[in-house]
Amino acid sequence: MKENKNWLSKVELCKELLEADGDRVVLFIMDIDHSKDIFGQSINQKDLDYILKSFNEVFTSEYSSFSQIGRDAFAGMFTCDKDYSLFNLMQQKQTFQSLLNNELDISQLTVCMGVSIYPEMCKKKEELFSFAYDALFSAKLKGPDNIEVSTSENMKLKSLYFRKSQLDKLSFFSNRTELSESEIIRKALDDYLNKHMYEN
């Protein structure tokens, strides 16, 4: 069984995602509810160490890794077999919360969680983070202590305009990377929103 003694960076976690070897890959993003009321402006190293320890106790599988991606936001990935269900994940979430409450002597710590699973909910491993962020947004809209899974529903935005120079650069970059123009725009929007909403 793989053990993680330290947090990975988000870049390292993304690399682990792409290299994960298993039937299914689960990525979750977890945000601690009302964290400033509990920890103050920052989470001290002792508490971070215990959060990592709890991740490893609750979510570790044959292949798993964890990252702190924001002040109070964390990401975890692990592989699982076809028998693993979202009910299992909900139970793990509750166990994780109980561990933190007991160890940190807190009675009301809860988290919101956004989940994406490859290949059922996300056909490309590269998109797991984007889908999990979307699910986290939905969970947080519903209030504390919620968990949501990603969906692949697509919608169009009619009132969208670009400068000619932007479209020229977009076309050039698309040809150079073999990504479609729409994929590049969606990725850029995800990167911008996720960075400013969760990773600061």
Side-chain angles (χ1 to χ4, degrees):
M1 180 175 291
K2 178 178 178 180
E3 294 184 359
N4 295 285
K5 296 182 179 179
N6 298 298
W7 295 109
L8 295 183
S9 68
K10 185 180 176 183
V11 171
E12 291 170 329
L13 184 62
C14 288
K15 183 179 179 182
E16 295 274 313
L17 275 176
L18 297 178
E19 295 176 351
D21 184 20
D23 293 336
R24 303 163 79 204
V25 181
V26 178
L27 175 75
F28 65 82
I29 300 177
M30 182 183 290
D31 187 89
I32 299 176
D33 300 320
H34 309 299
S35 65
K36 289 185 179 179
D37 295 335
I38 299 170
F39 297 105
Q41 291 299 316
S42 62
I43 303 176
N44 65 50
Q45 190 58 51
K46 180 180 178 182
D47 291 341
L48 283 174
D49 290 343
Y50 192 78
I51 290 172
L52 176 60
K53 179 183 176 183
S54 299
F55 274 130
N56 279 303
E57 285 186 21
V58 177
F59 296 105
T60 291
S61 69
E62 189 74 19
Y63 198 103
S64 54
S65 298
F66 309 99
S67 176
Q68 182 183 12
I69 59 174
R71 191 190 68 81
D72 61 352
F74 306 88
M77 63 78 61
F78 57 90
T79 56
C80 62
D81 59 30
K82 59 182 177 60
D83 294 325
Y84 184 86
S85 70
L86 291 175
F87 178 72
N88 297 128
L89 189 59
M90 291 172 65
Q91 289 183 312
Q92 288 174 300
K93 174 180 177 291
Q94 294 301 319
T95 301
F96 177 81
Q97 290 177 175
S98 296
L99 283 174
L100 291 186
N101 280 314
N102 291 336
E103 175 65 22
L104 304 178
D105 196 22
I106 301 169
S107 60
Q108 298 179 344
L109 187 148
T110 59
V111 302
C112 280
M113 182 185 286
V115 183
S116 184
I117 302 177
Y118 168 88
E120 295 100 311
M121 302 170 186
C122 182
K123 301 305 179 185
K124 297 180 180 179
K125 290 180 182 178
E126 293 87 344
E127 294 182 333
L128 278 165
F129 255 104
S130 294
F131 279 58
Y133 273 121
D134 291 347
L136 177 63
F137 177 73
S138 298
K140 290 178 70 67
L141 279 182
K142 293 184 176 182
D145 200 15
N146 271 294
I147 181 171
E148 288 289 324
V149 297
S150 59
T151 66
S152 57
E153 180 183 8
N154 293 319
M155 299 181 68
K156 291 184 178 180
L157 183 64
K158 293 182 179 180
S159 58
L160 188 62
Y161 300 93
F162 300 95
R163 299 189 305 273
K164 180 180 181 302
S165 59
Q166 289 177 313
L167 295 180
D168 289 343
K169 287 188 288 185
L170 179 63
S171 177
F172 176 82
F173 190 72
S174 175
N175 290 329
R176 197 171 78 177
T177 61
E178 298 184 353
L179 293 171
S180 70
E181 294 174 350
S182 60
E183 283 181 302
I184 295 169
I185 292 172
R186 287 196 300 270
K187 187 177 188 313
L189 182 61
D190 282 337
D191 288 347
Y192 180 86
L193 292 176
N194 297 337
K195 177 180 179 180
H196 290 277
M197 292 178 68
Y198 304 113
E199 297 181 17
N200 290 326

